[in-house]
Amino acid sequence: MALDKNFLWGGATAANQTEGGVLEGGRQLANIDVLPYGEDRKKVAAGELEMLDWKEGYYYPAKEAIDMYHHYMEDIRLFAEMGFKVYRMSLSWSRIFPNGDDETPNEAGLKFYEDIFNELKKYGIEPLVTITHFDIPIHLIKEYGGWRSRKMIDFYTRYAETVITRYKGLVHYWLTINEINILLHQPFVGGGIVFKEGENKEAIKYQAAHHQLVASALTTKIAHEVDPENKVGCMLAGGSHYPYTCRPEDYQEAIKRDREGYFFIDVQARGNYPNYALKKFEREGLSIQMAPEDKEILAASPVDFVTFSYYCSRTVSAHPEDYEQATGNLFASIKNEHLPSTEWGWQIDPLGLRNSLNQLYDRYQKPLFIVENGLGAVDVPDENGYVEDDYRIDYLEKHVQAFMDAVEIDGVELLGYTTWGCIDLIAASTGQMSKRYGFVYVDRDDQGNGTLRRTKKKSFDWYKQVIATNGEAVRNQIPSAVL
Ligand code: BG6
């Protein structure tokens, strides 16, 4: 059995990691623009070091990124050449509402994305649009403290309603908030939160989470009202947790850690708070302020589909101090000796993708969409600028095989697959350009030098072939187990 003929193959990017032009066309600063390159980046991202403006002595990679603001026509042409059916991208909130609390939107910003959507339409590429991908107008942080304030629900929904209405007919697939669970790990990136001395961080994070969940549900409602054809999804930073040993307490730790992420999706997909979360709030004395109507809002508008990013699985123990740590996509993890690692220490686990798909489908019984997956690697171009990225092809081939198994053998309902960073872009965690994910090489280095010239890599033709054959090109020799 093959994938559905309408399976949505494509690639994904985010405004803050590609566009640049941060003060062009009326746009104003966002949290993500002030994340510096270098060792302070982590502290700023965690809300532990306040940086709400560009400061002397720092380099800010998002300022120009890969300058897609001026190159989007060329980039979309390349995506079309690969045969993309879908392109996942995000809107920059401060391009549309420069301060966030403006009464009216910025027409230049709205027009910019309208032009992109029309360009995509020209090639028959469906946009999949993330309304906010680590992107909050800085004024909302300075003035209201970011998502810790309930006022953010109004600012966000005004923005969401504006774009959903304006792009009616051009966009049908919406994601409300990228990797919503990142709020717990990088509160400034996910929520625009900067902590003050002595605050109860856990309470602030879950209060902000509540505001985001309500805003997300209201947006789902708006999207359905504006156009019944609209489909709205939530977005999880995925990758299941494995217990390091079969000791029950290690397994319990794995369940606990999975729930940290599922908490958000449980609310967004099922429409109510799971009991384990309510018990946690009670036990830890986290008094989360909820308005009387919130329960109803959440229940009334669950999402239509569930999306997630997948780069690696994670391994945990009740006694992590006993083991060597691996790095991972923003979460701490123990090194799993059964898995190889990327140059950045992320552990490569294609079967983990199939397992995650099964877990999510069992849990939610909603269509799934893999909206990020890929290998961050150092690419060394030859004298013609060509990159032979067999390592990337190998990574992606195994992951494509894994999700095809999940669909064809396990019966998971999967709408599509967008590889992360289909064109090289700024890495979110490190701000590096040298951590490349793309099928297209962009000539730019970690300090912002380079011509920005775009060159196809070897994986470009490989992916084109995969799409043209609806995945049959990777049907591999490794026999697939039945789950
Ligand atoms: C996800 C984000 O966390 O992982 C992306 O949604 C990010 O924005 C991607 O780029 C890969 O992480 P990194 O740090 O390698 O860019």
Side-chain angles (χ1 to χ4, degrees):
M1 195 184 72
L3 292 177
D4 189 277
K5 65 176 185 355
N6 297 320
F7 187 79
L8 292 168
W9 294 95
T13 63
N16 75 83
Q17 289 163 265
T18 52
E19 277 179 16
V22 296
L23 295 178
E24 288 186 59
R27 186 188 183 282
Q28 287 297 318
L29 279 188
N31 57 337
I32 208 74
D33 306 327
V34 294
L35 281 194
Y37 181 76
E39 63 179 279
D40 282 343
R41 188 175 180 90
K42 266 194 176 157
K43 282 183 254 166
V44 176
E48 303 291 353
L49 174 66
E50 183 173 283
M51 195 174 284
L52 300 180
D53 282 302
W54 289 325
K55 288 205 170 137
E56 205 56 39
Y58 287 94
Y59 167 60
Y60 296 93
K63 231 172 173 176
E64 286 178 353
I66 60 162
D67 194 29
M68 209 188 240
Y69 189 66
H70 299 106
H71 287 74
Y72 72 88
M73 303 246 279
E74 178 186 353
D75 296 342
I76 291 173
R77 195 162 55 240
L78 288 163
F79 301 155
E81 196 183 324
M82 275 186 277
F84 279 19
K85 314 271 184 237
V86 64
Y87 171 47
R88 175 179 176 230
M89 53 177 276
S90 74
L91 308 176
S92 157
W93 187 343
S94 61
R95 207 175 273 300
I96 294 173
F97 283 93
N99 297 300
D101 59 359
D102 321 68
E103 285 300 320
T104 52
N106 170 31
E107 177 53 31
L110 285 169
K111 174 79 169 56
F112 171 67
Y113 293 111
E114 191 167 72
D115 291 347
I116 291 188
F117 298 141
N118 280 319
E119 195 64 18
L120 290 169
K121 196 172 172 189
K122 204 165 98 186
Y123 296 106
I125 301 174
E126 187 79 41
L128 165 60
V129 177
T130 316
I131 297 174
T132 177
H133 187 129
F134 301 160
D135 175 287
I136 301 160
I138 209 87
H139 172 75
L140 294 183
I141 298 172
K142 290 184 177 170
E143 194 61 30
Y144 307 93
W147 279 99
R148 63 167 81 212
S149 162
R150 190 172 171 98
K151 292 207 171 84
M152 288 294 280
I153 299 177
D154 293 338
F155 301 139
Y156 176 88
T157 49
R158 182 192 299 172
Y159 159 51
E161 182 162 11
T162 302
V163 295
I164 290 168
T165 308
R166 172 71 173 243
Y167 305 129
K168 180 177 174 180
L170 284 172
V171 179
H172 303 100
Y173 292 93
W174 297 95
L175 302 182
T176 52
I177 297 171
N178 181 63
E179 292 194 337
I180 189 165
N181 48 322
I182 287 305
L183 177 63
L184 302 181
H185 306 273
Q186 294 202 338
F188 183 68
V189 171
I193 291 164
V194 183
F195 293 110
K196 299 183 191 85
E197 190 84 27
E199 283 190 317
N200 182 339
K201 294 182 185 170
E202 204 69 352
I204 288 164
K205 288 192 281 186
Y206 278 97
Q207 184 65 64
H210 179 69
H211 297 149
Q212 292 194 345
L213 292 166
V214 172
S216 175
L218 286 167
T219 300
T220 306
K221 181 168 178 277
I222 292 165
H224 291 156
E225 283 167 1
V226 170
D227 185 351
E229 298 281 294
N230 277 331
K231 299 269 177 260
V232 184
C234 53
M235 182 354 183
L236 169 79
S240 325
H241 293 87
Y242 299 157
Y244 187 74
T245 72
C246 52
R247 281 183 300 194
E249 61 268 35
D250 282 357
Y251 181 54
Q252 188 184 40
E253 182 67 21
I255 295 176
K256 195 175 125 199
R257 296 282 290 276
D258 274 345
R259 278 179 170 174
E260 281 175 10
Y262 287 153
F263 156 72
F264 294 88
I265 312 304
D266 285 353
V267 180
Q268 290 177 294
R270 296 167 169 166
N272 54 52
Y273 271 81
N275 282 349
Y276 64 81
L278 297 174
K279 285 286 180 194
K280 174 189 161 78
F281 297 162
E282 198 181 296
R283 194 172 53 245
E284 296 178 15
L286 311 178
S287 59
I288 309 300
Q289 305 303 308
M290 302 189 190
E293 66 273 20
D294 289 355
K295 218 173 163 184
E296 211 174 297
I297 291 171
L298 296 175
S301 304
V303 290
D304 303 306
F305 63 109
V306 171
T307 83
F308 67 109
S309 59
Y310 181 86
Y311 295 91
C312 50
S313 54
R314 308 168 221 284
T315 305
V316 294
S317 160
H319 309 283
E321 62 286 354
D322 296 347
Y323 306 102
E324 190 188 337
Q325 295 292 306
T327 50
N329 187 13
L330 305 168
F331 306 85
S333 170
I334 293 170
K335 199 164 163 45
N336 180 338
E337 66 258 30
H338 305 291
L339 299 174
S341 298
T342 72
E343 290 163 279
W344 272 263
W346 297 17
Q347 300 211 265
I348 303 173
D349 183 6
L351 185 55
L353 173 58
R354 180 174 166 193
N355 292 337
S356 284
L357 283 160
N358 275 281
Q359 278 186 326
L360 288 167
Y361 195 59
D362 286 352
R363 196 172 179 107
Y364 302 117
Q365 297 284 304
K366 294 210 181 223
L368 304 177
F369 204 132
I370 304 163
V371 295
E372 287 186 30
N373 172 236
L375 176 75
V378 173
D379 290 334
V380 184
D382 67 15
E383 59 284 3
N384 303 314
Y386 185 67
V387 177
E388 286 218 30
D389 53 347
D390 292 300
Y391 38 90
R392 183 166 294 109
I393 294 174
D394 182 61
Y395 176 99
L396 291 172
E397 196 160 57
K398 290 185 172 130
H399 285 78
V400 169
Q401 176 66 47
F403 78 65
M404 286 173 68
D405 287 347
V407 173
E408 296 171 1
I409 300 173
D410 309 329
V412 164
E413 207 179 333
L414 185 64
L415 299 173
Y417 174 70
T418 54
T419 66
W420 176 249
C422 46
I423 181 166
D424 291 347
L425 40 66
I426 304 289
S429 53
T430 60
Q432 290 167 303
M433 238 349 262
S434 53
K435 189 182 188 190
R436 297 172 183 274
Y437 287 87
F439 302 118
V440 175
Y441 185 87
V442 178
D443 178 27
R444 188 167 179 87
D445 69 14
D446 289 344
Q447 281 69 45
N449 307 304
T451 60
L452 292 169
R453 186 163 74 106
R454 275 73 166 145
T455 313
K456 298 173 204 170
K457 302 181 195 174
K458 185 175 178 183
S459 54
F460 185 98
D461 288 321
W462 170 82
Y463 197 44
K464 184 175 177 178
Q465 188 62 12
V466 172
I467 297 176
T469 60
N470 203 21
E472 292 306 308
V474 303
R475 187 158 306 277
N476 78 8
Q477 308 72 19
I478 312 163
S480 312
V482 173
L483 196 69

